[in-house]
């Protein structure tokens, strides 16, 4: 997919053979550090979640040329560091990263909640706030962040609405899982 300027995307990928891409806590931190270094200069981040074998980011690309160069360097730097540290050989990720253009208001809301709910749906935690490698908790604090926090909270109509929408959609996802059984 061609990446365009001033366009929002759901960016994601997973480990090769669905294997882990993070092996210990410091890997998650290094991943985010490398992302900030290589990708953030060309993008704005609205939400993210790092799962043990995959990741999700909801971003707006502001400079597609800088983004393409940065995302390539990001994956290379992270993969090389992991392979070296853990004496691995070969691809860490399952091919090239994937992107889906976020081009509607309803998709904007759904992708943010979908990303934040991943750890609960995967049964890694019972509550979104308890997952350390997601942007959800950053929305609930006053701490400095590189997320476009105010823009997202304004989109949802404020913090209370942000929390409520996440709970409602999570309940709907959990109910639909039971109906598929």
């Amino acid at each position: 997919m061609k990446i365009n300027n001033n366009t929002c995307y759901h960016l994601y990928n997973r480990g090769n053979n669905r294997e882990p891409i993070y092996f210990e806590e410091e890997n998650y931190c290094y991943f985010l550090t490398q992302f900030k270094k290589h990708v953030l200069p060309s993008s704005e981040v609205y939400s993210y979640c790092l799962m043990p074998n995959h990741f999700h980011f909801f971003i707006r690309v502001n400079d597609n040329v800088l983004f393409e160069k940065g995302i390539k360097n990001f994956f290379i730097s992270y993969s090389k560091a992991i392979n070296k540290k853990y004496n691995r050989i070969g691809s860490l990720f399952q091919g090239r990263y994937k992107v889906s253009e976020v081009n509607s208001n309803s998709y904007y809301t759904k992708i943010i909640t979908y990303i934040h709910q991943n750890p609960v749906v995967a049964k890694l935690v019972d509550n979104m706030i308890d997952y350390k490698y997601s942007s959800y908790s950053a929305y609930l604090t006053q701490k400095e962040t590189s997320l476009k926090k105010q823009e997202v909270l304004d989109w949802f109509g404020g913090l209370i609405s942000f929390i409520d929408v996440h709970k409602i959609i999570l309940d709907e996802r959990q109910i639909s899982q039971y109906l598929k059984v």
Side-chain angles (χ1 to χ4, degrees), residues 39-57:
V39 181
L40 202 55
S42 65
S43 309
E44 297 172 344
V45 179
Y46 300 105
S47 65
Y48 71 87
C49 186
L50 311 182
M51 300 291 284
N53 71 345
H54 69 281
F55 67 85
H56 299 272
F57 284 91

Side-chain angles (χ1 to χ4, degrees), residues 38-39 65-80 93 96-97:
H38 294 289
V39 181
V65 174
L66 189 58
F67 173 81
E68 290 288 356
K69 180 180 177 184
I71 195 83
K72 178 182 174 184
N73 290 335
F74 162 64
F75 281 113
I76 289 170
S77 68
Y78 183 75
S79 297
K80 279 185 173 182
F93 293 98
R96 182 179 159 93
Y97 65 90

Side-chain angles (χ1 to χ4, degrees), residues 1-158:
M1 169 181 256
K2 184 179 185 299
I3 303 295
N4 296 308
N5 288 333
N6 303 312
T7 304
C8 292
Y9 296 97
H10 174 206
L11 167 70
Y12 56 100
N13 205 348
R14 68 177 168 200
N16 198 24
N17 296 318
R18 299 182 181 192
E19 294 173 358
I21 54 178
Y22 316 102
F23 301 96
E24 55 188 300
E25 187 166 350
E26 70 182 46
N27 301 150
Y28 291 92
C29 297
Y30 183 70
F31 185 90
L32 289 173
T33 299
Q34 292 304 101
F35 187 87
K36 286 179 184 178
K37 177 181 177 183
H38 294 289
V39 181
L40 202 55
S42 65
S43 309
E44 297 172 344
V45 179
Y46 300 105
S47 65
Y48 71 87
C49 186
L50 311 182
M51 300 291 284
N53 71 345
H54 69 281
F55 67 85
H56 299 272
F57 284 91
F58 174 34
I59 63 171
R60 172 182 284 134
V61 173
N62 297 322
D63 183 329
N64 63 330
V65 174
L66 189 58
F67 173 81
E68 290 288 356
K69 180 180 177 184
I71 195 83
K72 178 182 174 184
N73 290 335
F74 162 64
F75 281 113
I76 289 170
S77 68
Y78 183 75
S79 297
K80 279 185 173 182
I82 292 296
N83 283 351
K84 182 177 180 179
K85 179 167 182 158
Y86 298 100
N87 202 26
R88 292 182 78 258
I89 296 173
S91 179
L92 180 62
F93 293 98
Q94 182 179 309
R96 182 179 159 93
Y97 65 90
K98 281 72 168 178
V99 290
S100 299
E101 186 176 339
V102 177
N103 55 13
S104 73
N105 293 341
S106 63
Y107 194 6
Y108 185 102
T109 302
K110 286 178 185 172
I111 198 62
I112 290 173
T113 55
Y114 170 82
I115 287 170
H116 288 152
Q117 293 168 352
N118 257 255
V120 175
V121 172
K123 299 185 184 343
L124 296 176
V125 293
D126 291 327
N127 190 317
M128 288 174 277
I129 197 166
D130 296 328
Y131 196 69
K132 293 193 288 189
Y133 312 113
S134 160
S135 57
Y136 182 76
S137 62
Y139 283 95
L140 309 181
T141 70
Q142 297 298 318
K143 291 181 182 176
E144 282 289 315
T145 179
S146 43
L147 295 167
K148 298 308 266 180
K149 186 172 160 179
Q150 195 56 53
E151 188 175 329
V152 170
L153 290 176
D154 289 348
W155 174 262
F156 279 87

